Amino acid sequence: MARLTPSIACNDCPIRYRAVCADCDADELAMLERVKTYQTVQAGAHLASAGETLDHFASIVSGCATMSRTLEDGRRQTVGLLLPSDFIGRPGRAQSAFDVQALGEVTICRFERRAFERMVRDTPHIATRLLTMSLDELDAARDWAVVLGRMTAREKLAAFLVSLARRQAQGMGGRVSGGGVTLNLPLTREELADHLGLTIETTSRQMTALRKDGLIDLPQAREILIPDFEALSAEAGEDGDGGPIV
Amino acid sequence: MARLTPSIACNDCPIRYRAVCADCDADELAMLERVKTYQTVQAGAHLASAGETLDHFASIVSGCATMSRTLEDGRRQTVGLLLPSDFIGRPGRAQSAFDVQALGEVTICRFERRAFERMVRDTPHIATRLLTMSLDELDAARDWAVVLGRMTAREKLAAFLVSLARRQAQGMGGRVSGGGVTLNLPLTREELADHLGLTIETTSRQMTALRKDGLIDLPQAREILIPDFEALSAEAGEDGDGGPIV
DNA sequence: GTCGGACATTGATCGAGATCAAAGCGCCCT
DNA sequence: AGGGCGCTTTGATCTCGATCAATGTCCGAC
């Protein structure tokens, strides 16, 4: 499975700015500092809509958002989960290809479009970084296509929990202790189902099945404890190449 | 659905080099011309294997290849179809994330890795172009995830045929005449099934169903005639935003 | 020609997940 | 406390696509 690379993000957001700019002149980013604005939106708010023209880029500071498409008859598929430090917007594209919707309260850091693109143009290594980020997302999207196309409901759920655990551990949003991992599930069962390409009922049933089989514990519906990370990874059909959680 | 942008490709390959380099100094690409080599491989040949370290990039000159992953138990999912002018390899990544396999006889144009990356580094607008290409692929991968996650077998097949028709028309590999479109299907039913996330039997049955419903004609198993492109698009759940075939 | 093998179609049956329906559980509000 | 609402779980049944099995078609080798 793909590993994600640190995103472009702001200096005093609690994010991985240094990683981006270790080899970057402070001056080159000063411009961004001048135009950035913080914004906090409530659960359900649309950060972008498919086809909408955006005048800004953003990175997620806190909270969680989904990228999804809804078909005319109401079927919805989530194509990506955005966590803190993830980037919203596509350099060179004014239009969003998918809906981006806040799950809970979300704080983003916005950059005015023109300023951001000027910086990209004038700072070659930022362009390289953006390319790397895009390729990571591409790998992740294709990995997920394999899950959607060929895995069973149980495997889909296990694969999602494993990947979320890895990302939360990476972003320090989760706790790892003695082989056990605690996950805060930022999605409702419905949002989860939309990501897995399942119905809410099947998702709930598989969650119960994993619990009964001792692979996860559910102190609360939205809090998941993984006692044996390796065991859950095995359910996701991983042969171990995904690496440990930390 | 996503529109693809012309790829990086070689000068005298019958591809869209000019589009790439309209604003490019001939000198900047001369280096590539010196290191490029053509290679023709037979059906089934692996152009890359997941995890394998690649010392080159390539673009497809003729023929067709798939990007896929095979699970340990043999389940396979194709995550992308590579047609002439499509690019193989990921700048900045030495390893391939997926298997790339030739479907029929395939000719590629190879660029030595180091030379290519040097050119990317020294030619900012090439980096921008690569970013654009990656974002196109990202859109395409996410679009396909929606198909895999939420569409019925019939819709999946229709969606694939429509997108293949668009790409072949774009690449002049297909003929458009009086509303009717002829497609050369470069895939066997099995390869098609692996792309659609279905079995070979279901794929075949849906093909027959579309034929019986007059949406396609099948003079031969691998030749598909689309009498009414709009009608087939509608089967794919498109509301018309995908645009016409030409 | 006809043999053999790869590819494709069709039929019969099965089963995972969808659908329809009903509780159960938190939690806020009055 | 009790009512209402959103989220979750569980149960009963149905259906689409998978699976198992057979047959058909094309094409190249001999």
Side-chain angles (χ1 to χ4, degrees):
Chain A
M1 292 287 184
R3 301 307 195 89
L4 296 182
T5 305
S7 169
I8 303 282
C10 24
N11 216 344
D12 44 40
C13 303
I15 316 284
R16 309 187 189 82
Y17 199 52
R18 302 293 171 198
V20 178
C21 299
D23 45 5
C24 182
D25 238 5
D27 286 354
E28 294 171 327
L29 290 146
M31 165 174 47
L32 272 194
E33 291 294 321
R34 284 198 300 274
V35 295
K36 80 182 186 189
T37 57
Y38 292 91
Q39 187 181 9
T40 298
V41 301
Q42 297 308 308
H46 282 262
L47 297 172
S49 297
E52 180 192 15
T53 299
L54 298 175
D55 61 348
H56 64 276
F57 297 96
S59 73
I60 297 204
V61 176
S62 70
C64 179
T66 55
M67 247 180 305
S68 69
R69 171 167 303 151
T70 303
L71 306 180
E72 302 81 63
D73 58 6
R75 285 177 288 177
R76 180 191 310 221
Q77 178 66 48
T78 296
V79 297
L81 195 62
L82 300 168
L83 298 181
S85 91
D86 284 336
F87 193 72
I88 301 172
R90 303 177 300 160
R93 312 303 175 78
Q95 298 209 336
S96 172
F98 292 89
D99 295 323
V100 179
Q101 199 167 8
L103 291 185
E105 185 178 283
V106 170
T107 300
I108 59 173
C109 175
R110 292 172 51 147
F111 309 100
E112 196 264 321
R113 166 162 219 96
R114 242 171 257 264
F116 189 87
E117 290 187 334
R118 186 152 17 99
M119 183 196 68
V120 172
R121 206 176 47 242
D122 298 344
T123 317
H125 85 270
I126 291 281
T128 304
R129 163 72 59 174
L130 283 170
L131 178 57
T132 300
M133 283 167 55
S134 298
L135 290 173
D136 283 332
E137 290 185 75
L138 185 54
D139 282 351
R142 286 173 171 161
D143 282 342
W144 197 246
V146 175
V147 172
L148 289 175
R150 286 300 183 203
M151 289 199 174
T152 63
R154 182 186 178 97
E155 290 170 327
K156 284 178 176 179
L157 180 54
F160 174 75
L161 293 178
V162 163
S163 99
L164 183 61
R166 287 217 180 87
R167 289 178 70 185
Q168 286 199 353
Q170 201 176 13
M172 304 302 158
R175 286 149 279 155
V176 184
S177 55
V181 183
T182 302
L183 268 190
N184 305 315
L185 193 66
L187 310 147
T188 66
R189 292 289 184 273
E190 184 173 14
E191 288 152 353
L192 184 48
D194 285 341
H195 192 41
L196 303 180
L198 299 171
T199 59
I200 182 173
E201 295 94 335
T202 298
T203 305
S204 178
R205 273 185 252 271
Q206 294 302 330
M207 195 74 92
T208 304
L210 289 182
R211 180 174 56 71
K212 286 190 174 158
D213 292 347
L215 288 158
I216 59 173
D217 195 13
L218 286 170
Q220 292 154 116
R222 306 282 280 273
E223 188 183 338
I224 295 171
L225 210 141
I226 306 173
D228 182 351
F229 194 75
E230 294 300 318
L232 190 62
S233 301
E235 288 295 325
E238 280 194 23
D239 48 355
D241 67 346
I245 188 163
V246 183
Chain B
M1 292 285 184
R3 299 311 193 89
L4 296 182
T5 305
S7 167
I8 302 283
C10 22
N11 216 344
D12 44 40
C13 303
I15 316 284
R16 309 188 189 81
Y17 200 52
R18 303 291 171 199
V20 178
C21 299
D23 45 5
C24 182
D25 238 6
D27 288 352
E28 294 171 326
L29 289 145
M31 164 172 50
L32 271 194
E33 291 294 321
R34 285 198 299 273
V35 295
K36 81 181 185 188
T37 58
Y38 291 91
Q39 187 183 8
T40 298
V41 300
Q42 297 309 307
H46 282 262
L47 297 172
S49 297
E52 180 191 16
T53 298
L54 297 175
D55 61 348
H56 64 275
F57 297 96
S59 73
I60 297 204
V61 176
S62 70
C64 179
T66 54
M67 248 182 301
S68 68
R69 172 167 301 152
T70 303
L71 305 180
E72 302 82 61
D73 59 6
R75 284 178 289 178
R76 180 191 309 220
Q77 178 65 48
T78 297
V79 297
L81 195 62
L82 300 168
L83 297 180
S85 92
D86 283 336
F87 193 73
I88 302 173
R90 304 177 297 160
R93 311 302 174 82
Q95 298 208 337
S96 172
F98 291 89
D99 296 323
V100 180
Q101 199 168 7
L103 291 185
E105 185 179 284
V106 169
T107 299
I108 58 173
C109 175
R110 292 172 48 149
F111 309 100
E112 196 264 323
R113 165 161 221 96
R114 243 171 256 265
F116 189 85
E117 290 188 335
R118 186 151 17 98
M119 182 196 68
V120 173
R121 205 176 47 242
D122 299 344
T123 316
H125 85 270
I126 291 281
T128 304
R129 164 70 61 174
L130 284 170
L131 178 59
T132 300
M133 283 166 53
S134 299
L135 290 173
D136 283 333
E137 290 186 74
L138 185 53
D139 282 352
R142 287 172 171 162
D143 282 342
W144 198 246
V146 175
V147 172
L148 289 175
R150 287 298 183 203
M151 289 200 174
T152 64
R154 183 186 178 98
E155 290 170 325
K156 284 178 176 181
L157 180 55
F160 174 76
L161 294 177
V162 164
S163 100
L164 183 62
R166 287 216 181 87
R167 288 177 71 183
Q168 287 199 354
Q170 199 176 16
M172 303 304 158
R175 286 150 279 155
V176 184
S177 56
V181 183
T182 303
L183 267 190
N184 305 314
L185 195 65
L187 310 146
T188 66
R189 292 290 184 274
E190 184 173 14
E191 288 152 353
L192 183 48
D194 285 340
H195 191 43
L196 303 180
L198 299 171
T199 59
I200 181 173
E201 295 95 334
T202 298
T203 305
S204 179
R205 272 186 251 272
Q206 294 303 330
M207 196 75 90
T208 304
L210 288 183
R211 180 175 57 71
K212 286 188 174 160
D213 293 348
L215 288 158
I216 59 173
D217 195 12
L218 285 170
Q220 292 156 115
R222 307 280 281 272
E223 189 183 337
I224 295 170
L225 210 141
I226 306 173
D228 182 351
F229 194 76
E230 293 300 319
L232 191 62
S233 301
E235 289 295 323
E238 281 194 22
D239 48 355
D241 66 347
I245 188 164
V246 181

